[in-house]
Amino acid sequence: MGSVVPPGRSGATVPFTQKLSQCVPLAANEILLLRDLQSGSRLFRRGQEIIIEGKTYRTLFIVIEGVAIRYRILRDGRRHVLSVLLPGDIAGITACFFESSLYSVKTITDSWISPVPLARVMNLFHTHPQLAAKIFWSFSCETAIYAEHLIAVGRRTALERVAHFLLELLTRLQAVRLADERSFCLPLTQELIADVLGLSIPYVNQVLRQLRGDGLVRIKDKVIVINDVEALSALVDFERNYLKPLSIVDLLNEPA
């Protein structure tokens, strides 16, 4: 797995902690517990498998730095990418709750990832139940993303799929302070976009050329720039609400 030297980040700026703090208030001791939970970062090289479909896992993998994909290979060799895992995301949630993993996960960049035994997370329900509830609360966003991707593949046009996907990545990276107001850096190949959105590579190429030609999107090397976020959002009906679950505090304060 490589070195066990975690990147130098304070507890409050580790991406998972940063993302969680936007939905739930975190006490100082909880930030320290989360830092300790993610302290055993390991370097996974580009293209290295973290989870293999069909194998048994009882470990969660928290992405600290880098990018990975969750995918399945069909019998004829075709690949469908279910999701792109960014810093602050957790891999292995479904793998832990089934006899064997339903999907594979591998890195597409050199990545720092913290393996955390599921038993250690579950033990938080006994030792720090409020923090455990907050961690599991964060999983709700992943369900919403899957639903949105299902709608995209089932009903959106190719242009809508690609543009919606780019806007989603921008929003998710902004949540962990890895994107500015309209641009981000990510190694997105046309093959990867095609495998995420259920399109052919030539179709993806055609859509990207159209977006560039219309002055909506610029892609150079690994940098994606959305020239007019509001215009593109309106064009493809992008609503970022599904990426921002209601704060647990707001929910608890709602009248019965």
Side-chain angles (χ1 to χ4, degrees):
M1 282 190 187
S3 303
V4 192
V5 182
R9 291 175 178 265
S10 68
T13 58
V14 173
F16 177 66
T17 307
Q18 171 69 27
K19 187 170 71 170
L20 187 61
S21 68
Q22 296 182 26
C23 297
V24 295
L26 294 173
N29 70 310
E30 291 177 330
I31 292 175
L32 291 174
L33 284 166
L34 287 170
R35 181 174 62 186
D36 183 57
L37 200 67
Q38 301 168 78
S39 62
S41 297
R42 296 182 179 272
L43 177 61
F44 288 75
R45 294 296 183 184
R46 176 186 175 188
Q48 186 173 346
E49 289 180 316
I50 303 168
I51 294 174
I52 299 173
E53 179 184 347
K55 290 194 172 184
T56 299
Y57 294 88
R58 296 297 178 263
T59 302
L60 300 176
F61 298 87
I62 305 176
V63 182
I64 306 298
E65 292 185 8
V67 185
I69 56 172
R70 183 185 288 111
Y71 67 97
R72 174 177 284 179
I73 301 291
L74 303 181
R75 290 184 180 181
D76 60 4
R78 287 176 297 166
R79 180 182 73 170
H80 185 73
V81 175
L82 293 145
S83 58
V84 177
L85 298 168
L86 304 173
D89 290 342
I90 299 178
I93 298 169
T94 53
C96 285
F97 292 102
F98 288 84
E99 183 177 343
S100 59
S101 179
L102 305 177
Y103 319 109
S104 297
V105 176
K106 74 174 181 179
T107 58
I108 61 171
T109 67
D110 287 351
S111 303
W112 286 95
I113 296 173
S114 293
V116 182
L118 177 64
R120 186 177 177 188
V121 178
M122 297 299 290
N123 189 53
L124 289 174
F125 279 104
H126 299 288
T127 60
H128 299 86
Q130 290 189 0
L131 178 59
K134 292 173 183 179
I135 292 173
F136 277 81
W137 176 265
S138 69
F139 297 163
S140 62
C141 191
E142 183 173 324
T143 303
I145 290 174
Y146 277 134
E148 201 66 27
H149 287 185
L150 181 61
I151 293 169
V153 173
R155 284 290 178 259
R156 290 194 175 106
T157 66
L159 185 144
E160 289 171 338
R161 291 186 208 181
V162 173
H164 199 280
F165 177 59
L166 296 178
L167 287 164
E168 178 186 287
L169 290 175
L170 174 67
T171 304
R172 291 172 60 197
L173 287 166
Q174 286 172 338
V176 289
R177 299 179 181 177
L178 292 175
D180 61 23
E181 292 182 355
R182 61 191 185 98
S183 66
F184 57 92
C185 182
L186 209 62
L188 289 178
T189 64
Q190 293 187 14
E191 179 184 10
L192 175 59
I193 295 174
D195 287 351
V196 171
L197 302 176
L199 299 169
S200 67
I201 295 176
Y203 216 159
V204 170
N205 180 268
Q206 177 183 331
V207 169
L208 291 175
R209 281 191 286 109
Q210 180 179 345
L211 290 171
R212 283 195 297 264
D214 292 341
L216 293 169
V217 173
R218 287 187 289 117
I219 300 178
K220 185 175 182 181
D221 298 327
K222 299 178 182 179
V223 179
I224 294 90
V225 179
I226 301 174
N227 293 321
D228 191 331
V229 174
E230 291 186 3
L232 190 61
S233 298
L235 178 66
V236 301
D237 193 28
F238 177 76
E239 294 286 347
R240 61 185 64 200
N241 291 341
Y242 73 97
L243 297 170
K244 296 184 176 181
L246 184 67
S247 167
I248 193 171
V249 175
D250 294 337
L251 186 63
L252 292 175
N253 289 336
E254 284 189 351

